[in-house]
């Protein structure tokens, strides 16, 4: 069974539906370039996936979809929340969920690319690209923290360090904003990928060539936390502190 997520988090950033759609369309386009079989045929997120309407990954179509699915009068403050998914034969079900454009000091904005399958496991080819997917998420959305993780790794890290779900942590890989990246200790067992906005990804899978075990991931978390690179997000949310 496959349950893997790549996500990114950031603090308040006021953005219109059209601006959010532009970032989202860029994300979907880059994902399709990475693996056309897995990242194509996007559909609106509904309970009946098989009959869910297809949704072009264009800025106009995504803008209309965002506005149609976000009718709350406080949307300028709480942000836009919606998602798209795939239902491609022989591939994991991919969901790209967003919560973006929020200006509240107490709500975290986020994007998550998740992979689910009852037939496939973590040996699926697309999962080897999680480091690249994290880079796409980091650069397209200008995030403050992010990671790629399997559910078992997420639960192990959460249990070891008693972390809330939104807390920065390292999974299969981790994205660190510029201030956090400057604190990374030497010698972590992974590939280092520099990103736009002076960020850093530490990819423990080394480009999908290795599968880090739980102890390797826990040790990376210990070392990054000891160095101050995984400090909790400041609340009220203030990007300048991260």
């Amino acid at each position: 069974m496959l349950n893997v997520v790549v996500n990114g988090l950031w603090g308040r950033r006021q953005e219109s539906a059209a601006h959010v759609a532009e970032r989202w369309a860029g994300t979907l386009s880059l994902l399709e370039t990475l693996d056309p079989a897995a990242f194509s045929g996007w559909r609106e997120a509904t309970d009946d996936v098989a009959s869910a309407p297809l949704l072009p990954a264009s800025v106009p179509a995504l803008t209309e979809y965002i506005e149609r699915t976000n009718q709350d009068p406080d949307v300028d403050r709480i942000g836009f929340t919606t998602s798209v998914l795939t239902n491609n034969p022989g591939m994991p079900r991919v969901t790209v969920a967003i919560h973006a454009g929020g200006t509240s000091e107490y709500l975290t904005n986020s994007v998550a690319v998740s992979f689910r399958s009852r037939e496939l496991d973590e040996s699926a080819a697309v999962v080897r690209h999680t480091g690249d997917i994290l880079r796409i998420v980091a650069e397209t959305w200008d995030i403050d923290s992010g990671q790629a993780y399997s559910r078992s790794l997420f639960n192990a890290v959460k249990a070891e360090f008693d972390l809330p779900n939104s807390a920065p942590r390292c999974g299969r890989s981790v994205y660190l904003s510029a201030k956090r990246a400057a604190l990374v200790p030497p010698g972590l067992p992974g590939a280092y990928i520099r990103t736009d906005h002076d960020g850093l990804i530490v990819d423990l899978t080394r480009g999908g060539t290795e599968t880090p075990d739980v102890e390797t991931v826990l040790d990376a978390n210990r070392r990054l936390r000891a160095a101050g690179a995984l400090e909790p997000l400041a609340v009220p949310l203030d990007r300048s502190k991260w």
Side-chain angles (χ1 to χ4, degrees), residues 6-7 130-131 134-135 138 143-149 167-177 180-181 184 188 191-193 195 199-205 217 220-221 224 229-230:
V6 181
N7 71 4
T130 51
L134 183 55
R135 178 185 54 79
I143 66 176
D144 295 313
S145 67
Q147 61 168 322
Y149 61 85
R169 74 196 76 198
C170 180
R172 298 167 62 93
S173 56
V174 59
Y175 169 84
L176 303 164
S177 58
R180 295 177 184 272
V184 172
L188 289 178
Y192 285 35
I193 305 167
T195 71
L200 173 69
I201 292 173
V202 181
D203 180 11
L204 301 186
T205 76
V217 173
N221 277 276
L224 288 167
L230 294 179

Side-chain angles (χ1 to χ4, degrees), residues 114-135:
S114 61
F115 304 89
R116 304 282 190 275
S117 176
R118 294 177 180 174
E119 292 79 31
L120 303 174
D121 58 24
E122 290 181 35
S123 65
V126 69
V127 176
R128 294 200 297 271
H129 293 301
T130 51
D132 297 315
I133 296 166
L134 183 55
R135 178 185 54 79

Side-chain angles (χ1 to χ4, degrees), residues 62-177:
L62 291 172
T63 300
E64 188 278 331
Y65 180 53
I66 290 169
E67 292 176 339
R68 173 162 46 90
T69 53
N70 288 270
Q71 298 293 316
D72 193 294
D74 294 329
V75 69
D76 289 345
R77 181 162 176 77
I78 62 176
F80 306 103
T81 301
T82 192
S83 58
V84 294
L85 49 77
T86 64
N87 189 37
N88 297 328
M91 291 289 143
R93 179 168 298 167
V94 182
T95 302
V96 181
I98 63 167
H99 179 87
T103 59
S104 171
E105 296 176 308
Y106 300 96
L107 290 177
T108 305
N109 291 288
S110 64
V111 59
V113 182
S114 61
F115 304 89
R116 304 282 190 275
S117 176
R118 294 177 180 174
E119 292 79 31
L120 303 174
D121 58 24
E122 290 181 35
S123 65
V126 69
V127 176
R128 294 200 297 271
H129 293 301
T130 51
D132 297 315
I133 296 166
L134 183 55
R135 178 185 54 79
I136 289 170
V137 166
E139 294 184 341
T140 307
W141 295 90
D142 186 13
I143 66 176
D144 295 313
S145 67
Q147 61 168 322
Y149 61 85
S150 65
R151 178 52 56 182
S152 58
L153 286 179
F154 185 89
N155 290 339
V157 172
K158 182 176 182 178
E160 179 76 9
F161 302 103
D162 192 26
L163 297 177
N165 288 345
S166 62
R169 74 196 76 198
C170 180
R172 298 167 62 93
S173 56
V174 59
Y175 169 84
L176 303 164
S177 58

Side-chain angles (χ1 to χ4, degrees), residues 208-232:
T209 62
E210 299 179 10
T211 302
D213 59 25
V214 171
E215 186 50 45
T216 297
V217 173
L218 292 178
D219 183 62
N221 277 276
R222 292 186 193 105
R223 295 168 65 182
L224 288 167
R225 286 168 63 84
L230 294 179
E231 285 297 303

